[in-house]
Amino acid sequence: MIEISFAVLVLTLTTFATALPAPAQQIAFTWDDLPTHGPLPPGETRVEIGKKIIAAMKEAHMPPVYGFTNGVHTEDEPMSTPMLKEWRDAGLPLGNHTWSHVNLNQHSLAEWEADVLKNEPLLKYYMGNADWHWLRFPNLAEGETLEKRDAARKFLAEHGYRIAGITMSFGDYMYNAPYARCVAKQDTAAIARLEESYLAAADSTIDYTRAMSKALYGRDIPYVLLMHVGALDARLLPRLLKLYRDKGFSFISIDEAEKDDFYRNDLDLSLSPIPDTLEEAMKMRNFPLPVHPRPDIDLNSICK
């Protein structure tokens, strides 16, 4: 019979444990501004953009991903409306982003509430009996005063909503207008620079966000990523999903992500407002913020 000392056993088990792969970090994709976002490049349609996004997510075997809808675009750009049916036919849910993207910090509470409610018939039509009671604040504006923020939370609670929080964003929306300009000019070199910068921004933002989570909690929380249904987003989504996988992420739904205690304030709206972004949480604890990644090209001047 072979005897193994306790010290050797501990060392063996420790070595085995450290040799195991680290558990994949988790991220929930969410998409804003359905059915339209940003200018259209020549030769593209909103429906085609939606189809590209849907196909890439299906290819990656992602769980159902919420698209947050502004119904006004079904009126001002009616040719975009079939994109919502494509989304639902793919088994993807829709949530409320208000009817006309009303910024609560810049409008009265009554105006914002009316805009939230105006969007509901559209959601009921496409979602049927499925749950659409997630609210994404336009511009992530939850009220410029504590009183207004409390009142908005009370309104959402009374109407059965949960808040779709954000804990990761690399500013994807900033790239869609420059991309449309570069496509119009057929500037392939500039398009390549945009693509490289877009993916670099996503990559560096992963490190930036994880650094805050580790500083605050000593762990990775499940992240909720903000995306927009723009043309460059659709073009680069297969490469973007590969980037997250290569960085060790697995994809989950927002329902799964917000089970984490970090998001309790988004689900229980009877609670008083607390920081619901990592940046706010860092400031509340007087932790220094890491350097925020910035685009490595001038997005305002390219292809102008």
Side-chain angles (χ1 to χ4, degrees):
M1 183 175 180
I2 301 174
E3 294 185 1
I4 302 176
S5 72
F6 179 75
V8 171
L9 179 60
V10 169
L11 179 61
T12 302
L13 293 174
T14 301
T15 302
F16 175 74
T18 55
L20 292 174
Q25 308 312 320
Q26 297 177 315
I27 192 165
F29 269 63
T30 61
W31 296 89
D32 276 14
D33 300 351
L34 276 70
T36 79
H37 172 79
L40 271 176
E44 293 227 44
T45 70
R46 305 295 183 187
V47 174
E48 289 169 349
I49 288 170
K51 285 182 175 179
K52 290 178 185 177
I53 292 171
I54 291 165
M57 293 194 296
K58 183 178 180 181
E59 179 68 22
H61 304 289
M62 295 178 72
V65 173
Y66 269 85
F68 292 93
T69 305
N70 303 120
V72 68
H73 299 308
T74 64
E75 292 184 352
D76 62 26
E77 202 176 323
M79 294 294 288
S80 71
T81 304
M83 189 267 208
L84 298 178
K85 184 177 185 302
E86 294 276 351
W87 193 267
R88 289 297 297 131
D89 286 349
L92 302 174
L94 297 170
N96 202 334
H97 200 33
T98 78
W99 175 260
S100 58
H101 208 270
V102 165
N103 183 318
L104 180 56
N105 292 3
Q106 299 172 357
H107 291 79
S108 71
L109 180 67
E111 289 173 320
W112 174 82
E113 289 177 350
D115 215 55
V116 171
L117 295 177
K118 188 175 181 179
N119 213 34
E120 289 189 350
L122 180 77
L123 294 169
K124 291 175 182 177
Y125 175 78
Y126 283 103
M127 289 291 286
N129 294 324
D131 181 30
W132 44 267
H133 286 89
W134 283 98
L135 185 285
R136 169 68 49 74
F137 283 97
N139 305 112
L140 308 183
E142 300 188 18
E144 75 277 19
T145 66
L146 183 58
E147 179 183 28
K148 196 173 184 182
R149 194 168 181 176
D150 281 337
R153 290 174 63 83
K154 181 180 179 183
F155 167 82
L156 292 175
E158 290 171 349
H159 289 81
Y161 281 97
R162 295 165 289 174
I163 295 172
I166 294 295
T167 42
M168 190 180 294
S169 171
F170 63 91
D172 70 299
Y173 65 91
M174 297 187 293
Y175 288 83
N176 287 301
Y179 175 65
R181 295 195 304 266
C182 293
V183 172
K185 290 193 171 186
Q186 300 182 351
D187 190 334
T188 55
I191 291 171
R193 290 199 301 274
L194 281 174
E195 292 177 348
E196 292 172 4
S197 178
Y198 178 106
L199 294 169
D203 195 353
S204 59
T205 298
I206 291 170
D207 299 332
Y208 163 79
T209 308
R210 293 189 69 193
M212 290 188 291
S213 184
K214 293 291 184 69
L216 287 163
Y217 311 112
R219 66 184 177 93
D220 282 283
I221 64 169
Y223 302 104
V224 178
L225 176 69
L226 171 61
M227 296 290 296
H228 298 79
V229 287
L232 187 60
D233 292 296
R235 176 184 175 99
L236 291 183
L237 186 55
R239 291 166 63 183
L240 182 66
L241 295 176
K242 182 179 184 302
L243 169 66
Y244 283 105
R245 281 221 164 107
D246 289 347
K247 297 282 279 192
F249 282 91
S250 61
F251 303 121
I252 60 174
S253 68
I254 191 173
D255 301 79
E256 293 177 88
E258 293 216 7
K259 290 177 183 177
D260 190 88
D261 191 56
F262 176 85
Y263 301 98
R264 66 189 183 281
N265 194 57
D266 291 341
L267 304 184
D268 185 353
L269 301 185
S270 68
L271 296 174
S272 298
I274 60 171
D276 58 359
T277 67
L278 291 169
E279 286 86 352
E280 288 179 356
M282 292 282 283
K283 291 175 184 176
M284 187 180 74
R285 294 176 63 176
N286 294 317
F287 285 5
L289 288 172
V291 176
H292 194 287
R294 301 294 179 191
D296 55 8
I297 57 175
D298 186 350
L299 297 174
N300 293 320
S301 64
I302 192 169
C303 290
K304 277 194 173 178

